[in-house]
């Protein structure tokens, strides 16, 4: 909003900015592991049938696992499994877990299903810093990972119901967990997890051995991955706005599902799928692109007053193709922060998960704002870094502000003469337009000069609107009364809920709205208000007068749940812009001198440029046709 110029001749610039703003608004525990991994010389984890504590932890009551408790159940299970009955007779056929852990992440992997049932990020806390509750992307059965197996004897089995045999080893500093679902000792489906030190990314592989005679390989196996995303931030409304499913397809293209109630797609040649939860993401990557993937995103926040536990339901279905009767896929898991620096370092196009904006907007964020902000936070607290970033932006944009205000001053000087033309040719719009264009040409005034500087500032405006919600560095960083610059800065909690506003009052949006009001008052001015309405056109003076009050009100409502860092930026930005314009008006621009220069320009011979000549010819031709009809 900071760049709007609302005089009559700058309306195009304001309209573009306003449309973009409105569009963006709407479109923008479990118990710990029993103990640390054993010393390096212990290469094999104790088998899961032992009751004593080891790296294979005992299942908690909340885990979605079934225990084969007696011989009758075992007999029934073996009968239903057919070729895979061998796996049900193994000692590992118990509801137990293996924990992989490094300095950043802790993963708990179940024997039953062989998938991750808990993913905890050790460096991040939920909601409020100091609460002690770590962010858990997966917990309490909110995620599922399953391969549907079609056997040669026409049975359909699901890996989530079957028990894998775990073996945990170490290679140097890497932890390697191999889980096998066995049809026989030399026939199995294998999951292989490799955790490295100080890495959020895991190596992951799915492969089969000797199952070409056990499985029906005429069609690909179907792999289903789903996750119900937990709320991890203070504002469920704001978090849900940036929670989305993102995917890469066809050799480097990326896209995302929208924010509707239920959205789906079926992209081809998919190389990764990301379930993004604003500041944290779960990503499955593959070296061998999936031929076609069915993806789905469902909004779980139907009522923001009560739906506060989950945000979105994500689902993805992948085909696992057979090659020579076997399945072999090398993949990766990423469970970690949606941090541009971390994701970009993997060189797998994962930086596209961070919504920095498309086209030139993303370019400005990547190569201007992110490096500048990184430099500033190296010297200043985060709130001050935002203020200094705002000052730098306004200094860089000040030439555009000057040109726009200079154009307004010229138009103000010409206003009496334009009003005379309106009065003289009020009944002949075509003639009035011709004479007005001649006046502009003689005076050396370009009516579009006030619009173009505003248009030039749109990329900066939108880039910053995308930058602040994506800056995980602001998460749980405090400034003044705001205890989290990535969320709203509540100063009053209301006992009731206001639609589109919420149940709290944020102070930074109020300050930003006040600054925008005075900024628009200055840029619009009395001269725009007094502009006489043109025949057949709406009264622009009245429209802009209304917008002076509507725009701050929109800011107040829409930004109440937005990141306080973004509201802080708009407040400081508009306050600085008001100061710059006061300096320009009182100390730089002299309206008397401008008037004298315009009068001098009128006496000089003027040559029209190509555009002006074309416009003049078109108006003269229209005038001739009009006279011919008469």
């Amino acid at each position: 909003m900071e760049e709007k110029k609302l005089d009559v001749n700058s309306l195009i610039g304001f309209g573009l900015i306003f449309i973009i703003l409105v569009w963006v608004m709407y479109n923008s525990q479990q118990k710990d592991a029993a103990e640390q991994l054993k010393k390096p010389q212990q290469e094999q984890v104790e088998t899961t049938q032992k009751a004593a504590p080891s790296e294979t932890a005992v299942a908690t009551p909340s885990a979605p696992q079934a225990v084969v408790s007696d011989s009758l159940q075992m007999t029934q299970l073996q009968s239903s499994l057919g070729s895979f009955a061998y796996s049900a007779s193994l000692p590992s056929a118990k509801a137990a877990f293996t924990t992989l852990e490094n300095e950043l992440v802790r993963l708990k992997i179940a024997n039953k299903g062989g998938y991750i049932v808990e993913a905890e990020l050790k460096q991040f806390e939920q909601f409020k810093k100091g609460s002690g509750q770590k962010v858990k992307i997966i917990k309490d059965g909110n995620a599922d990972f399953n391969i549907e197996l079609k056997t040669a004897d026409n049975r359909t089995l699901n890996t989530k119901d079957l028990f894998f045999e775990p073996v945990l080893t170490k290679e140097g500093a890497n932890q390697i967990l191999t889980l096998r679902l066995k049809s026989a000792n030399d026939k199995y489906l294998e999951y292989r997890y490799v955790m490295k030190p100080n890495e959020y990314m895991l190596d992951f592989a799915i492969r089969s051995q000797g199952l070409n005679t056990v499985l029906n390989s005429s069609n690909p196996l179907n792999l289903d991955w789903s996750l119900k995303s937990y709320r991890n931030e203070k504002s469920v409304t704001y978090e849900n706005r940036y929670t989305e499913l993102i995917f890469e397809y066809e050799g480097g293209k990326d896209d995302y599902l929208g924010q509707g109630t239920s959205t789906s797609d079926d992209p081809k040649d998919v190389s990764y799928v990301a379930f993004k939860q604003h500041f944290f993401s779960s990503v499955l990557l593959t070296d061998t692109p999936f031929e076609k993937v069915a993806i789905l995103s469902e909004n779980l926040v139907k009522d923001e007053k009560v739906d506060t536990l989950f945000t979105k339901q994500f689902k993805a279905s992948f085909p696992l193709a057979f090659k020579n009767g076997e399945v072999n896929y090398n993949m990766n898991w990423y469970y970690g922060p949606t941090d541009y620096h971390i994701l970009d370092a993997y060189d797998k196009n994962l930086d596209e998960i961070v919504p920095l904006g498309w086209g030139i907007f993303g370019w400005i964020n990547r190569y201007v704002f992110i490096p500048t902000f990184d430099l500033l936070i190296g010297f200043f607290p985060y709130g001050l870094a935002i203020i200094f970033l705002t000052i730098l932006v306004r200094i860089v944009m000040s030439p555009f502000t000057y040109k726009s205000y200079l154009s307004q001053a010229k138009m103000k000087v010409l206003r009496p003469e334009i009003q005379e033309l309106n009065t003289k040719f009020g009944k002949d719009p075509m003639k009035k337009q011709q004479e007005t264009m001649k006046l502009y040409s003689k005076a050396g005034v370009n009516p579009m000069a006030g619009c173009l500087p505003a248009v030039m500032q749109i990329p900066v405006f939108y880039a910053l609107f995308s930058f602040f919600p994506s800056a995980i560095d602001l998460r749980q960083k405090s400034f003044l009364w705001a205890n989290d610059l990535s969320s709203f800065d509540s100063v009053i909690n209301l006992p009731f809920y206001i639609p589109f506003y919420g149940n709290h009052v944020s102070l930074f949006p109020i300050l930003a709205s006040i600054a925008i009001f005075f900024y628009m008052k200055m840029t619009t001015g009395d001269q725009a208000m007094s502009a006489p309405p043109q025949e057949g056109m709406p009264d622009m003076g009245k429209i802009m007068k209304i917008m002076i009050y509507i725009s701050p009100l929109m800011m107040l409502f829409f930004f109440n749940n937005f990141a306080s860092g973004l509201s802080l930026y708009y407040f400081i930005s508009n306050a600085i812009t008001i100061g710059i314009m006061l300096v320009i008006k009182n100390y730089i621009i002299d309206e008397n001198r401008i008037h004298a220069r315009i009068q001098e320009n009128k006496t000089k011979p003027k040559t029209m440029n190509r555009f002006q000549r074309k416009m003049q010819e078109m108006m003269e031709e229209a005038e001739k046709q009009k006279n011919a009809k008469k």
Side-chain angles (χ1 to χ4, degrees), residues 183-227:
S183 173
N185 198 46
D186 59 345
K187 296 180 180 181
Y188 52 81
L189 177 69
E190 179 182 278
Y191 295 167
R192 188 173 188 267
Y193 299 85
V194 179
M195 174 175 278
K196 303 173 184 177
N198 286 301
E199 287 277 0
Y200 289 104
M201 185 83 74
L202 290 87
D203 292 342
F204 177 63
I206 299 177
R207 73 183 190 94
S208 64
Q209 174 65 46
L211 295 183
N212 53 331
T213 60
V214 178
L215 298 178
N216 182 351
S217 59
S218 59
N219 294 307
L221 298 178
N222 192 55
L223 167 61
D224 292 317
W225 175 38
S226 64
L227 183 141

Side-chain angles (χ1 to χ4, degrees), residues 5 15 96 167 205 220 290 499 542:
K5 303 293 179 186
V167 175
F290 301 111
K542 290 183 179 180

Side-chain angles (χ1 to χ4, degrees), residues 42 67 85 96 127 129 138 181 227 259 347 440 471 499 501 519 550 603:
Q42 183 177 350
V67 179
F127 292 106
K129 189 174 182 179
I138 299 176
L181 174 63
L227 183 141
Q259 291 287 335
D347 196 26
Y440 288 150
Y501 187 75
Y519 167 75
I550 290 180
T603 63

Side-chain angles (χ1 to χ4, degrees), residues 511-529:
L511 296 176
S513 298
I514 293 173
I516 287 175
F517 174 79
F518 285 105
Y519 167 75
M520 295 182 69
K521 266 284 193 183
M522 290 181 60
T523 55
T524 302
D526 294 335
Q527 70 275 20
M529 299 298 184

Side-chain angles (χ1 to χ4, degrees), residues 100 102 104-105 107 116 121 174-175 192-204 271-273 281-287 330-337 342-351 353:
L100 298 179
N102 61 17
L104 304 176
V105 63
L107 302 177
I116 299 169
L121 305 184
N174 297 341
Q175 305 165 52
R192 188 173 188 267
Y193 299 85
V194 179
M195 174 175 278
K196 303 173 184 177
N198 286 301
E199 287 277 0
Y200 289 104
M201 185 83 74
L202 290 87
D203 292 342
F204 177 63
S271 45
Y272 74 67
V273 173
S281 295
S282 309
V283 189
L284 178 61
L285 307 94
T286 176
D287 292 347
N330 292 320
M331 296 186 277
N332 296 95
W333 282 113
Y334 177 87
Y335 291 101
I342 295 175
L343 295 173
D344 186 53
Y346 287 115
D347 196 26
K348 293 179 178 287
N349 203 32
L350 292 177
D351 59 296
I353 296 175

Side-chain angles (χ1 to χ4, degrees), residues 406 409-410 413 589-599:
L406 178 62
K410 290 180 178 180
V413 170
I589 291 181
D590 187 338
E591 291 186 2
N592 293 328
R593 185 179 300 176
I594 291 174
H595 184 271
R597 186 176 300 171
I598 288 177
Q599 298 307 317

Side-chain angles (χ1 to χ4, degrees), residues 151-326:
T151 66
D153 55 354
N154 295 321
R155 298 172 186 264
T156 299
L157 304 175
N158 293 292
T159 57
K160 65 180 182 180
D161 300 324
L162 306 176
F163 290 91
F164 288 68
E165 183 177 19
V167 175
L168 181 63
T169 58
K170 295 187 72 176
E171 286 184 5
N174 297 341
Q175 305 165 52
I176 302 175
L177 174 62
T178 302
L179 299 110
R180 290 178 176 175
L181 174 63
K182 295 184 175 181
S183 173
N185 198 46
D186 59 345
K187 296 180 180 181
Y188 52 81
L189 177 69
E190 179 182 278
Y191 295 167
R192 188 173 188 267
Y193 299 85
V194 179
M195 174 175 278
K196 303 173 184 177
N198 286 301
E199 287 277 0
Y200 289 104
M201 185 83 74
L202 290 87
D203 292 342
F204 177 63
I206 299 177
R207 73 183 190 94
S208 64
Q209 174 65 46
L211 295 183
N212 53 331
T213 60
V214 178
L215 298 178
N216 182 351
S217 59
S218 59
N219 294 307
L221 298 178
N222 192 55
L223 167 61
D224 292 317
W225 175 38
S226 64
L227 183 141
K228 187 185 292 185
S229 59
Y230 275 105
R231 169 193 178 188
N232 284 307
E233 308 304 324
K234 183 165 63 172
S235 172
V236 65
T237 304
Y238 193 59
E239 179 179 4
N240 196 35
R241 183 177 291 112
Y242 294 98
T243 298
E244 54 194 359
L245 191 153
I246 303 168
F247 55 94
E248 184 187 59
Y249 66 107
E250 295 181 2
K253 300 178 183 178
D254 57 88
D255 205 346
Y256 64 95
L257 295 183
Q259 291 287 335
T261 302
S262 179
T263 56
S264 61
D265 201 352
D266 53 353
K268 298 179 180 180
D269 298 326
V270 175
S271 45
Y272 74 67
V273 173
F275 297 162
K276 174 179 170 289
Q277 302 171 237
H278 195 180
F279 287 130
F280 305 101
S281 295
S282 309
V283 189
L284 178 61
L285 307 94
T286 176
D287 292 347
T288 304
F290 301 111
E291 182 178 348
K292 187 176 182 180
V293 177
I295 51 179
L296 172 69
S297 173
E298 294 181 335
N299 184 16
L300 301 179
V301 183
K302 309 298 183 184
D303 186 341
E304 296 173 355
K305 299 187 292 295
V306 295
D307 298 330
T308 58
L309 182 60
F310 299 103
T311 53
K312 295 278 195 323
Q313 170 72 67
F314 298 123
K315 295 180 180 180
S317 182
F318 312 85
L320 300 179
F322 287 92
K323 186 175 182 180
N324 298 325
E326 302 290 354

